[in-house]
Amino acid sequence: MTLPNFIFRDRENYETYVNHLDGILYSYSENDVVLFFNEPIFLFINYILGVFFTGEQVVYLFVFFIVTSVFFLLRKYSSNLLMFILGLCAFLVISYTFHFQFVILRQALATLLILYSIIYIKSKRNIFLISLAACFIHSSMFALLLIISINFIFKDKSFNFRCLIISFIFGFFGFFVLKIAELFGIRQAQYLLEFDYTPGGGAFLLWLGVLLYLLYYYRGFKDNIYEYGVLGLVAFISLYFINPIAGRLMCSFVPIILLILIRNFNFGNIFILLTLIIVYVILIFNGVLVENSLLVNGDVFFKYISQTFPLKEF
């Protein structure tokens, strides 16, 4: 059994990509630039899958791949069973990672493509090319491509210097990047420009604390995964009060940050993971998941959870 699509935001739109692909392509037919910057690779994937599956089935395939990848990466990076359990709990309750797994499927697919390339490919050129391809699955990956490029260009500089460069570039371009995106016809840009963005300071302080911990107190592996997770967090902090795209990008960065934290079994990592879990469980009871990710209220959602995963099966 699986959770029905109609309880999650945007699922109906993903079915539309398969069921009404001809209409979507026709709407872009008068402007090749608009088609180029509106995820043509994702459209092609839907075209291929649509030959064999219905729109609903394609959505379930995407979710299966994303959730399976999350379990695989948790298993790969967890230093022991406790860190695996903490990581799994964090992925399920943190609103960014919940959204990543069950709502923003295009972005999750593109993020995983880049993440797998960083993990398994040594060639910088190939990582860059794969990351470029991911931009045409979801346009937010241009931000990750920028981070990857800057990290490659300034690899001989100190990591703190690279953090400063990322902070400056994202802080500067954050003021007008949506206007540029709108010029290229990127659909999400128009929505975000009209969005009434009034961020509070709670998430900023929470994730700023995580950033400071990772920069100055973290004791563990500091490889590519660490660098891109921290640089992504720097980008989020720099954009937080400037541009609503910060939260959307954070959905791609938090999975990487959680993988960093579960790799080493120590008090600091456990404390950060527990803090994140407790804070976001409290936010769940305050309606964050319903507001951001669901089309039904919490009672209906948990009813479907209990029906899909009945305790008697365990």
Side-chain angles (χ1 to χ4, degrees):
M1 295 180 66
T2 184
L3 295 172
N5 284 330
F6 68 81
I7 69 176
F8 296 99
R9 292 186 184 276
D10 290 346
R11 290 286 184 89
E12 183 178 338
N13 294 333
Y14 284 105
E15 292 185 29
T16 300
Y17 278 110
V18 178
N19 298 332
H20 303 286
L21 183 60
D22 290 342
I24 294 172
L25 293 174
Y26 179 78
S27 68
Y28 296 147
S29 61
E30 296 181 0
N31 192 328
D32 291 338
V33 174
V34 173
L35 174 60
F36 185 74
F37 283 100
N38 277 280
E39 295 109 14
I41 293 179
F42 183 72
L43 295 178
F44 179 72
I45 292 171
N46 280 274
Y47 171 75
I48 296 298
L49 293 177
V51 174
F52 306 99
F53 304 102
T54 66
E56 182 180 34
Q57 290 170 336
V58 168
V59 173
Y60 288 140
L61 282 173
F62 289 155
V63 174
F64 175 79
F65 173 77
I66 293 164
V67 173
T68 301
S69 292
V70 167
F71 271 86
F72 169 75
L73 292 170
L74 283 172
R75 177 66 183 85
K76 176 179 176 62
Y77 282 100
S78 297
S79 56
N80 55 38
L81 180 60
L82 175 61
M83 300 308 279
F84 175 85
I85 293 172
L86 289 176
L88 178 61
C89 290
F91 263 96
L92 290 175
V93 303
I94 294 176
S95 56
Y96 296 115
T97 44
F98 184 92
H99 211 60
F100 176 89
Q101 295 173 93
F102 302 110
V103 180
I104 52 170
L105 308 184
R106 279 175 302 152
Q107 183 174 340
L109 291 170
T111 301
L112 287 168
L113 179 62
I114 294 176
L115 187 54
Y116 280 132
S117 73
I118 292 171
I119 294 170
Y120 291 107
I121 296 177
K122 295 182 179 180
S123 167
K124 294 180 180 179
R125 177 178 177 272
N126 290 339
I127 292 174
F128 176 84
L129 291 175
I130 291 172
S131 301
L132 180 62
C135 296
F136 301 106
I137 296 176
H138 195 271
S139 54
S140 68
M141 295 302 104
F142 281 108
L144 271 73
L145 180 64
L146 178 59
I147 291 174
I148 288 170
S149 301
I150 291 171
N151 202 39
F152 285 168
I153 293 169
F154 295 100
K155 191 66 177 179
D156 294 333
K157 302 292 184 180
S158 71
F159 186 63
N160 286 344
F161 177 83
R162 281 174 271 162
C163 288
L164 288 174
I165 292 293
I166 292 291
S167 180
F168 173 78
I169 290 176
F170 276 82
F172 178 72
F173 282 104
F175 287 102
F176 51 84
V177 67
L178 290 179
K179 285 292 185 181
I180 297 174
E182 186 182 30
L183 292 176
F184 287 105
I186 296 176
R187 294 188 316 279
Q188 295 92 337
Q190 184 62 43
Y191 166 76
L192 291 172
L193 283 168
E194 297 173 354
F195 184 70
D196 183 19
Y197 186 57
T198 53
F204 177 84
L205 292 175
L206 175 65
W207 290 104
L208 178 61
V210 175
L211 174 61
L212 293 175
Y213 169 77
L214 290 175
L215 280 174
Y216 300 111
Y217 300 100
Y218 175 76
R219 298 293 180 266
F221 301 106
K222 294 188 177 182
D223 53 7
N224 283 342
I225 298 296
Y226 171 85
E227 290 183 356
Y228 291 120
V230 173
L231 291 174
L233 192 48
V234 170
F236 168 76
I237 295 296
S238 303
L239 286 169
Y240 186 83
F241 292 107
I242 300 172
N243 196 309
I245 199 175
R248 191 60 180 267
L249 293 178
M250 193 59 168
C251 292
S252 292
F253 301 141
V254 173
I256 303 175
I257 293 165
L258 294 180
L259 295 181
I260 295 170
L261 291 171
I262 64 174
R263 289 199 295 181
N264 297 96
F265 179 70
N266 58 55
F267 174 79
N269 290 0
I270 293 173
F271 177 79
I272 294 294
L273 286 167
L274 285 175
T275 299
L276 291 172
I277 291 168
I278 291 169
V279 168
Y280 280 96
V281 166
I282 293 171
L283 290 175
I284 287 174
F285 284 104
N286 282 276
V288 167
L289 286 188
V290 173
E291 181 180 346
N292 295 329
S293 303
L294 303 178
L295 292 175
V296 296
N297 62 43
D299 291 338
V300 174
F301 175 68
F302 286 110
K303 177 183 176 182
Y304 276 105
I305 291 287
S306 63
Q307 291 176 347
T308 305
F309 306 105
L311 292 177
K312 64 181 180 180
E313 292 188 6
F314 295 92

